[in-house]
Amino acid sequence: MISRIKVKNFGPIKELNLDIKDFSLLIGPQASGKSTIAKTIFFFKSLNDELVKYFIESIDKNDFSKSIGTYAKSIRKKYLDYFGASTHLDGLHLKYYYTETVWISITIETNHKYITPIFSKIFSEEFNTLVKEAINFSDSIGQRNPSLLTSKDLIQLDSDKRKFVSNIKSKCNSVFQEDRELMFIPAGRSLLATLSDQLQFINPRNLDFLMRSFLDKINIVRPIFNKSLGDIIKERRLLTQYDIDYNKTKLAEDIISKILKGKYQYDKDGEKIFFDTNRYVKLNFSSSGQQESLWILLLLFIIILEKQNVFIVIEEPEAHLFPEAQKEISNLIALMSNVENSQVIITTHSPYILASINNLILANKVGSENAKVADRINQNLWIRSDKVYAALVANGQAKEIIDSELNIIQQEKIDSVSSTINHEFDFLFQFETV
């Protein structure tokens, strides 16, 4: 089921209404609103987690007196974390359709003091049903006096809580039609790489919310990479019962090596990129392209290795990368998108990203009838055209740029400057030849 978002008078965006497919690309000039759209979609996706959190806290406190009002308050707080105060915005209206009947909208109060979440009738009904279940459960466990319970009873009580939270989470997923893990990879990643040895000392308050979340994710998964990617794959295959897709994971390792021009490893002396067994460079002295791309590459590797089902936003994956590396990182993103039921949004300025994605769309289109295609382009990278949405964000709007006949992206929309440069060259060259 395709979700949908409406945005009006939000930052640089005047008005837009777009469907959200499994592989979405947003292109356009700087400060046009690409990141605003991506962050807004991510914000609404995160409200599922916020609802689960609401139920856990309400059960712990045994307080459901304010119900949906408390949930609305948590949405306001999260909005401020993502976007800051919006009292200066006139006519702000955001509306996200999880299904045709389940939606949440956000507007600004007429007195411009705070934002107001509004819920569809079906959402409110589903919410109230879940609240009744939570109240009944909270009452049932409240009747047990902890001081009179045996150790076995306490273990059972904890088990009951876990089962109920799991059940509530499943039902929240059903309401939102979403069960993917959320991940946001922001632009400006090289700063974290430059300060890699000091990440644990950085005051999170000095970073915006999404960068803080990205830093938290890095700190959680970084110890996994105390060995090479090849050794991680080998260990998973030989020493655990964990089932991995070896072909996709090995392909991911090969792509990452091509982009990094080496192998990443983390040890007690910090983060390093090895060129061979003994020669390495510490990450904070590596190239800007390696620094910008590293944690895109490693997080995508984890997703592929663990076959995670994710919703992921990647801002400017092409940053500081040579065109060949831009092609390879496009391949890696495509590979990740074909794992489970993952969904990706990319913001980009790069015609090479669009051209690379177009090749993978065409490979899927013609590959079923011609075996030579799979020999040239790995089938795990192919992208179905019906999964793809691309829009040019400019002048406060987002205009779809999928060719209706060929079902590929109109990449000339981002590379019109090439035509201008060529015309200037032809004009100047005529005088050179006189």
Coordinates of all heavy atoms in Angstrom, one line a residue, residues 184-223:
F184 N 17.9 7.3 9.4 CA 18.1 8.5 8.7 C 19.6 8.8 8.6 O 20.3 8.9 9.7 CB 17.4 9.7 9.4 CG 17.3 10.9 8.5 CD1 16.1 11.3 7.9 CD2 18.4 11.8 8.3 CE1 16.0 12.4 7.2 CE2 18.3 12.9 7.6 CZ 17.1 13.3 7.0
I185 N 20.2 8.9 7.4 CA 21.6 9.1 7.2 C 21.7 10.6 6.7 O 21.5 10.8 5.5 CB 22.2 8.1 6.3 CG1 22.1 6.7 6.8 CG2 23.7 8.5 6.1 CD1 22.7 5.6 5.9
P186 N 22.1 11.5 7.5 CA 22.1 12.9 7.1 C 23.3 13.3 6.3 O 24.3 12.6 6.2 CB 22.1 13.7 8.5 CG 22.8 12.7 9.4 CD 22.5 11.3 8.9
A187 N 23.2 14.5 5.7 CA 24.4 15.1 5.0 C 25.4 15.6 6.1 O 25.0 15.6 7.3 CB 24.0 16.2 4.1
G188 N 26.6 15.9 5.7 CA 27.6 16.4 6.6 C 28.2 15.3 7.5 O 28.7 15.6 8.6
R189 N 28.3 14.1 6.9 CA 28.8 13.0 7.7 C 30.3 13.1 7.9 O 30.8 12.5 8.9 CB 28.5 11.7 6.9 CG 27.0 11.4 6.7 CD 26.8 10.3 5.8 NE 27.1 10.6 4.4 CZ 26.3 11.2 3.5 NH1 25.1 11.5 3.9 NH2 26.8 11.4 2.3
S190 N 31.0 13.8 7.1 CA 32.5 13.8 7.2 C 32.9 14.5 8.5 O 34.0 14.1 9.0 CB 33.1 14.6 6.0 OG 32.6 15.9 6.0
L191 N 32.1 15.3 9.1 CA 32.4 15.9 10.4 C 32.6 14.8 11.4 O 33.5 14.9 12.2 CB 31.4 16.9 10.8 CG 31.5 17.5 12.2 CD1 32.8 18.3 12.3 CD2 30.3 18.4 12.6
L192 N 31.7 13.9 11.5 CA 31.7 12.8 12.4 C 33.0 11.9 12.2 O 33.6 11.4 13.2 CB 30.5 11.9 12.4 CG 29.2 12.7 12.7 CD1 28.0 11.7 12.7 CD2 29.2 13.4 14.1
A193 N 33.3 11.7 10.9 CA 34.5 10.9 10.6 C 35.8 11.7 11.1 O 36.7 11.1 11.6 CB 34.5 10.6 9.1
T194 N 35.8 13.0 10.8 CA 37.0 13.8 11.2 C 37.2 13.7 12.7 O 38.3 13.7 13.2 CB 36.8 15.2 10.8 OG1 36.6 15.3 9.3 CG2 38.0 16.1 11.1
L195 N 36.1 13.7 13.5 CA 36.1 13.7 14.9 C 35.9 12.3 15.5 O 35.5 12.1 16.6 CB 35.1 14.6 15.5 CG 35.2 16.1 15.1 CD1 34.0 16.9 15.6 CD2 36.5 16.7 15.6
S196 N 36.2 11.2 14.7 CA 35.9 9.9 15.0 C 36.5 9.5 16.4 O 35.8 8.7 17.1 CB 36.4 8.9 13.9 OG 37.8 9.0 13.8
D197 N 37.6 9.9 16.7 CA 38.3 9.5 18.0 C 37.6 10.3 19.2 O 37.9 9.9 20.3 CB 39.8 9.8 18.0 CG 40.5 8.9 17.1 OD1 39.9 7.8 16.8 OD2 41.6 9.2 16.6
Q198 N 36.8 11.3 18.9 CA 36.2 12.1 20.0 C 34.7 12.0 20.0 O 34.0 12.7 20.8 CB 36.6 13.6 19.8 CG 38.1 13.9 20.1 CD 38.9 13.6 18.9 OE1 38.5 14.0 17.8 NE2 40.1 13.1 19.0
L199 N 34.1 11.0 19.2 CA 32.7 11.0 19.1 C 32.0 10.8 20.5 O 30.9 11.4 20.8 CB 32.2 9.8 18.2 CG 32.4 10.1 16.7 CD1 31.9 8.9 15.9 CD2 31.8 11.4 16.3
Q200 N 32.6 10.0 21.4 CA 32.0 9.7 22.7 C 32.0 11.0 23.6 O 31.3 11.0 24.6 CB 32.7 8.6 23.4 CG 34.1 8.8 23.7 CD 35.1 8.4 22.6 OE1 34.8 8.5 21.5 NE2 36.3 7.8 23.0
F201 N 32.8 12.0 23.2 CA 32.9 13.2 24.0 C 32.1 14.3 23.5 O 32.0 15.4 24.1 CB 34.4 13.6 24.1 CG 35.3 12.5 24.7 CD1 36.3 12.0 23.9 CD2 35.1 12.0 25.9 CE1 37.1 11.0 24.3 CE2 35.9 11.0 26.4 CZ 36.9 10.5 25.6
I202 N 31.5 14.1 22.3 CA 30.7 15.2 21.7 C 29.4 15.4 22.5 O 28.7 14.4 22.8 CB 30.4 14.9 20.2 CG1 31.7 14.9 19.4 CG2 29.4 15.9 19.6 CD1 31.5 14.5 17.9
N203 N 29.1 16.6 22.8 CA 27.8 16.9 23.5 C 26.7 16.9 22.5 O 26.6 17.6 21.5 CB 27.9 18.4 24.1 CG 26.7 18.7 24.9 OD1 25.7 18.0 24.9 ND2 26.7 19.7 25.7
P204 N 25.8 15.9 22.7 CA 24.7 15.7 21.7 C 23.8 16.9 21.5 O 23.2 17.1 20.4 CB 23.9 14.6 22.3 CG 24.8 13.8 23.2 CD 25.7 14.9 23.7
R205 N 23.8 17.8 22.5 CA 23.0 19.0 22.4 C 23.5 20.0 21.3 O 22.8 20.9 20.9 CB 22.9 19.7 23.7 CG 22.2 19.0 24.8 CD 22.0 19.7 26.1 NE 21.3 19.0 27.1 CZ 21.1 19.5 28.3 NH1 21.5 20.7 28.7 NH2 20.4 18.7 29.2
N206 N 24.7 19.8 20.9 CA 25.3 20.6 19.9 C 25.0 20.1 18.5 O 25.3 20.8 17.5 CB 26.8 20.7 20.0 CG 27.3 21.4 21.3 OD1 26.6 22.2 21.8 ND2 28.4 21.0 21.9
L207 N 24.3 19.0 18.4 CA 23.9 18.4 17.1 C 22.3 18.5 17.0 O 21.6 18.4 18.0 CB 24.4 17.0 17.0 CG 25.9 16.8 17.2 CD1 26.1 15.3 17.2 CD2 26.7 17.4 16.0
D208 N 21.8 18.5 15.7 CA 20.4 18.4 15.6 C 19.9 17.0 15.8 O 20.7 16.1 15.9 CB 19.9 18.9 14.2 CG 20.4 18.0 13.0 OD1 20.3 16.8 13.2 OD2 20.9 18.6 12.0
F209 N 18.6 16.9 16.0 CA 18.0 15.6 16.4 C 18.4 14.4 15.6 O 18.8 13.4 16.0 CB 16.5 15.7 16.5 CG 15.8 14.5 17.0 CD1 15.8 14.1 18.3 CD2 15.2 13.6 16.1 CE1 15.2 13.0 18.7 CE2 14.6 12.4 16.5 CZ 14.6 12.1 17.8
L210 N 18.3 14.6 14.2 CA 18.6 13.5 13.3 C 20.1 13.1 13.3 O 20.5 12.0 13.2 CB 18.1 13.8 11.9 CG 16.5 13.8 11.8 CD1 16.1 14.3 10.5 CD2 16.0 12.4 12.1
M211 N 20.9 14.1 13.4 CA 22.4 13.9 13.5 C 22.7 13.1 14.8 O 23.6 12.2 14.8 CB 23.2 15.2 13.4 CG 24.7 14.9 13.3 SD 25.2 14.0 11.9 CE 25.4 15.2 10.6
R212 N 22.0 13.5 15.9 CA 22.2 12.8 17.2 C 21.8 11.3 17.1 O 22.5 10.4 17.5 CB 21.4 13.5 18.3 CG 21.9 14.9 18.7 CD 21.4 15.3 20.1 NE 20.0 15.1 20.3 CZ 19.1 16.1 20.1 NH1 19.5 17.3 19.6 NH2 17.8 15.9 20.3
S213 N 20.7 11.1 16.4 CA 20.2 9.7 16.2 C 21.2 8.9 15.4 O 21.4 7.8 15.6 CB 18.8 9.7 15.6 OG 17.9 10.4 16.4
F214 N 21.7 9.6 14.3 CA 22.7 8.9 13.5 C 24.0 8.6 14.3 O 24.5 7.5 14.2 CB 23.0 9.9 12.3 CG 24.1 9.4 11.3 CD1 23.9 8.2 10.7 CD2 25.2 10.1 11.0 CE1 24.8 7.7 9.8 CE2 26.1 9.7 10.1 CZ 25.9 8.4 9.5
L215 N 24.4 9.5 15.1 CA 25.6 9.3 16.0 C 25.3 8.1 16.9 O 26.2 7.3 17.1 CB 25.9 10.5 16.7 CG 27.1 10.5 17.7 CD1 28.4 10.0 17.1 CD2 27.3 11.8 18.4
D216 N 24.1 8.1 17.5 CA 23.8 7.0 18.4 C 23.9 5.6 17.7 O 24.4 4.6 18.2 CB 22.4 7.2 19.0 CG 22.3 8.3 20.0 OD1 23.4 8.7 20.5 OD2 21.2 8.8 20.2
K217 N 23.4 5.6 16.4 CA 23.4 4.4 15.6 C 24.8 3.9 15.4 O 25.2 2.8 15.5 CB 22.7 4.6 14.3 CG 22.5 3.4 13.5 CD 21.5 2.4 14.1 CE 21.2 1.2 13.2 NZ 20.3 0.3 13.8
I218 N 25.7 4.9 15.0 CA 27.1 4.6 14.8 C 27.7 4.0 16.0 O 28.4 3.0 16.0 CB 27.9 5.8 14.3 CG1 27.4 6.3 13.0 CG2 29.4 5.6 14.4 CD1 28.0 7.6 12.5
N219 N 27.5 4.6 17.2 CA 28.1 4.1 18.4 C 27.7 2.7 18.8 O 28.4 2.0 19.4 CB 27.8 5.1 19.6 CG 28.7 6.4 19.5 OD1 29.8 6.4 18.9 ND2 28.1 7.5 19.9
I220 N 26.4 2.4 18.4 CA 25.9 1.1 18.7 C 26.5 0.0 17.9 O 26.9 -1.1 18.3 CB 24.4 1.0 18.6 CG1 23.7 1.9 19.7 CG2 23.8 -0.4 18.6 CD1 22.2 2.1 19.4
V221 N 26.6 0.3 16.5 CA 27.1 -0.8 15.6 C 28.6 -0.8 15.4 O 29.1 -1.8 14.9 CB 26.4 -0.7 14.2 CG1 24.9 -0.7 14.4 CG2 26.8 0.6 13.5
R222 N 29.3 0.2 15.7 CA 30.7 0.3 15.4 C 31.5 -0.9 16.0 O 32.4 -1.4 15.3 CB 31.3 1.6 15.9 CG 32.7 1.9 15.4 CD 33.2 3.3 15.7 NE 32.8 3.7 17.0 CZ 32.9 5.0 17.5 NH1 33.3 5.9 16.6 NH2 32.6 5.3 18.7
P223 N 31.3 -1.3 17.2 CA 32.1 -2.5 17.7 C 31.9 -3.7 16.9 O 32.8 -4.6 16.9 CB 31.5 -2.7 19.1 CG 30.9 -1.4 19.5 CD 30.4 -0.8 18.2

